[in-house]
Amino acid sequence: MLASIIVANPSPTSLSHAMAQAAQDAMTGHGYRVAFHDLYAEGFNPVQPTGESGNVASTDPLVEQHCAQLAQADLIAIFHPNWWGQPPAILKGWIDRVFRLDTAYGYPPGVSYEGVPVGLLKARHALVFNTSNTRADREAAAFGDPLEAIWTRCVFGLCGVDSVIRRMYGPVSGSSAQLRAQWLDEVAALVADAARR
């Protein structure tokens, strides 16, 4: 079984990275091989050079590696901060380049690009863990939850992953070591539960 972990946080000492490590430990403890990718450390190029319909192959070997692992993954976990109600640009570019036609979604025979695509991913579960410096009550009242729609409906839902677990942790700024430890325990427990199912 293959699990894919994607981290998109420029700070290697971030809570995102600590959560990703906790997830990796849980996955390997349940027998998964883990493809661990830190997009910033890898220097992932987020610029998609073609239009959406032309994005079926890349000359970038890193993009091809990510596409192959996404298609093979049984479990996917993504870690990123909430920036302006969106993923960081490097992660948005990763979605643009890797969740591509004939890898993550496709069209049935006879259905044009105006039709409804079908999801091609085989992953049973996707988990998305966000960090934020906005209190949850203010986030909900002022902004709603755009990341929920992006990940649950627009990305994973469209690409065939029906089980999406998403959590937001914060405010990170000023959080205590004890609270961070509780968050890490919760991430590990959620990942372990998904790995068992």
Side-chain angles (χ1 to χ4, degrees):
M1 294 180 295
L2 177 67
S4 176
I5 292 180
I6 305 296
V7 187
N9 192 311
S11 171
T13 60
S14 69
L15 181 59
S16 298
H17 283 82
M19 290 190 301
Q21 185 60 57
Q24 183 176 21
D25 293 344
M27 290 170 179
T28 56
H30 283 82
Y32 281 80
R33 293 180 299 113
V34 178
F36 189 105
H37 293 283
D38 178 337
L39 297 182
Y40 284 95
E42 288 182 346
F44 186 87
N45 179 359
V47 178
Q48 172 53 36
T50 69
E52 190 175 35
S53 63
N55 182 24
V56 293
S58 175
T59 59
D60 184 332
L62 187 57
V63 169
E64 290 302 307
Q65 179 187 24
H66 278 265
C67 288
Q69 290 171 345
L70 179 71
Q72 296 166 9
D74 300 289
L75 189 63
I76 302 166
I78 297 178
F79 301 84
H80 71 85
N82 175 2
W83 288 355
W84 298 96
Q86 304 168 74
I90 197 169
L91 185 54
K92 174 57 170 71
W94 177 80
I95 296 168
D96 291 346
R97 301 195 77 186
V98 176
F99 280 73
R100 68 186 183 193
L101 181 63
D102 297 333
T103 294
Y105 69 97
Y107 292 90
V111 176
S112 70
Y113 290 147
E114 292 98 31
V116 178
V118 295
L120 300 178
L121 295 182
K122 70 175 226 176
R124 297 185 317 278
H125 308 287
L127 301 102
V128 181
F129 298 101
N130 308 129
T131 56
S132 178
N133 279 325
T134 304
R135 291 186 334 269
D137 58 340
R138 181 173 184 275
E139 181 84 28
F143 310 113
D145 194 352
L147 284 170
E148 181 71 18
I150 289 170
W151 287 115
T152 302
R153 296 198 304 270
C154 301
V155 177
F156 286 116
L158 185 136
C159 295
V161 183
D162 296 325
S163 171
V164 182
I165 299 160
R166 198 184 131 262
R167 296 290 187 275
M168 179 83 76
Y169 295 98
V172 174
S173 177
S175 60
S176 67
Q178 180 181 10
L179 183 56
R180 287 182 181 220
Q182 290 173 4
W183 291 340
L184 292 174
D185 287 345
E186 181 177 323
V187 168
L190 287 167
V191 171
D193 183 59
R196 282 191 295 268
R197 291 189 279 136

